[in-house]
Amino acid sequence: MACVKKSKKNVPSTWEEALQFYLMWKKAEGLREITLQGHKDVIGLFYRRHPEAYNTKTVKISLYAFMGEDIKTATYNIRRNYLKQFFDWCVREGVYDDNPMSDLKKRTDEGRVVNLDAETLGRLLTLPDCKTYAGLRDYALFLLTLDTGIRPKEAFSLEIADVNIRASEVYVRSDVAE
């Protein structure tokens, strides 16, 4: 009786090759260039600091060292998210047997809330010179941000079709939302 033996997939031989294939896959999924760059930066940083982590038994130790650095909660969570997705892909491709990120949980961020009293806010709104184009623009951006919570990059990406004056609505398109 013949025995059927499972063959291992064509596993990328270097982390650079794996990253290249992973980014092509993510691009095919429709990720934006800025998000792809984030994946590339984080994964590249990990392997440049821990080149021994690719295809070895030291991947968990390397990950714990990398994730255990003294970094802000937001940085930790971004690294965790990008690396977890990458290692999920690596498991599917046969690079690793299991995801070494599965033990690391997301950290809770305290957030950064800035409380301004009404007087300070009022003084802030009087700063722009509304007689100039730049001043009127800044004043309008202050009001838009206070009213909607829109980010500056999102506000500067607005187009005429994104504003409905009659309904007092502003639409932030998914391709510019962060």
Side-chain angles (χ1 to χ4, degrees), residues 21-144:
F21 290 146
Y22 171 73
L23 291 173
M24 286 190 299
W25 175 70
K26 288 304 244 183
K27 187 171 186 171
E29 280 195 324
L31 260 63
R32 293 184 1 220
E33 285 300 321
I34 192 164
T35 308
L36 290 169
Q37 187 63 46
H39 282 263
K40 182 179 179 180
D41 291 346
V42 169
I43 297 162
L45 179 65
F46 168 68
Y47 280 113
R48 281 190 302 279
R49 289 189 184 167
H50 302 278
E52 75 285 353
Y54 190 72
N55 274 338
T56 70
K57 295 179 181 180
T58 63
V59 66
K60 277 193 176 187
I61 293 169
S62 298
L63 270 170
Y64 294 162
F66 184 68
M67 298 302 290
E69 293 175 2
D70 186 23
I71 53 177
K72 293 184 178 186
T73 301
T75 303
Y76 171 91
N77 287 337
I78 289 169
R79 284 183 179 183
R80 181 191 169 278
N81 182 33
Y82 289 162
L83 287 168
K84 186 172 183 326
Q85 290 179 52
F86 174 71
F87 285 117
D88 282 341
W89 177 86
C90 285
V91 169
R92 283 194 305 275
E93 294 298 312
V95 176
Y96 299 102
D97 293 330
D98 60 349
N99 188 334
M101 291 295 295
S102 59
D103 296 339
L104 296 174
K105 305 297 179 209
K106 186 177 178 181
R107 291 183 184 168
T108 304
D109 191 0
E110 299 293 321
R112 183 178 166 262
V113 177
V114 178
N115 289 319
L116 296 176
D117 56 76
E119 183 181 320
T120 304
L121 192 55
R123 279 188 286 140
L124 181 65
L125 289 172
T126 63
L127 292 177
D129 179 5
C130 293
K131 293 179 182 148
T132 66
Y133 172 80
L136 188 58
R137 177 205 59 208
D138 293 347
Y139 181 73
L141 279 169
F142 281 162
L143 294 178
L144 181 64

